[in-house]
Amino acid sequence: MPELPEVEVTRLSFADRIAGAVITDLRMGKPLRWPLGVEARSLVGQCIHGVRRRGKYLLLDLDDGLLLLHLGMSGSLNFAPHQPSPGTHDHMDLQTDRGTLRLHDPRRFGAVVWAPSEASPQAHKLLARLGVEPLNGGFEAAAFHAALRQRKAAIKQVLLVGDIVVGVGNIYASEALFMAGIRPTVRACKVSRPRADRLHAAIIDVLTRAVRQGGSSLRDFVSAEGKTGYFQLEAAVYGRAGQPCRVCGTPIRSILQGQRSTFYCPTCQKN
Ligand SMILES: [Zn+2]
């Protein structure tokens, strides 16, 4: 599943090239998670002013309103001057005078939704519950700790909800908690200020490295033939159950939390 770093790398892969382009056609394929919410032809002739990201949504600012794009479970976007004929799993072609932005999404949990503004009900229902962005300077350690103190659930579960800080999906939650030395099962409200500070720094670090790594493998990531190639960090704990911890050698443990696998080192990560 594409996580925040993949979505950010996707944004970086076409934002500069599409900014200023004029929409010449919008072809939608099979139904996605939600309907477009506007007649496709009403978008023709509008300029795409830029591409922003909020959580895992990409926001394309138009003359009139915006398009919200989500990659769902299996989606990928590719912007190219010339695209081959759409295949079975290509469900959106946004054609512009500079090229076509294509959504390839075999499982169709992705979304393309038009909204009149970011404050409109259509956009609000998708964006309102998102926490702060971890990578733009608005994510503060003191506020993070204060928010954790209000939650009784396990720290990893609280991170996955995404309403305090967005983008800390399953892989990155396990990795950040390892870097911070915090057991994933600890109640969020029990995390002390110094430990919250370490976790805050770890979240920024792990997501920044993922974006950078994705940037370097950008060409593979956005390759046209539906090879999604979602990248993964050189993981310290994620997916390494039974293998020795890279710090202390203790075998990494795996547990289930809310049906998701969690990986941790029982020696390095304290209750
Ligand atoms: Zn260890």
Side-chain angles (χ1 to χ4, degrees), residues 212-270:
R212 203 176 295 145
Q213 191 168 324
S216 64
S217 63
L218 198 59
R219 229 175 318 161
D220 294 336
F221 179 61
V222 297
S223 72
E225 310 91 273
K227 280 185 279 174
T228 49
Y230 299 136
F231 50 92
Q232 284 195 4
L233 285 180
E234 175 86 9
V237 289
Y238 188 85
R240 299 193 62 242
Q243 296 177 49
C245 171
R246 298 194 204 280
V247 174
C248 74
T250 307
I252 299 299
R253 247 178 233 174
S254 169
I255 56 168
L256 278 179
Q257 285 182 292
Q259 275 97 60
R260 309 292 300 277
S261 294
T262 296
F263 300 86
Y264 69 95
C265 171
T267 303
C268 293
Q269 293 174 258
K270 312 274 192 246

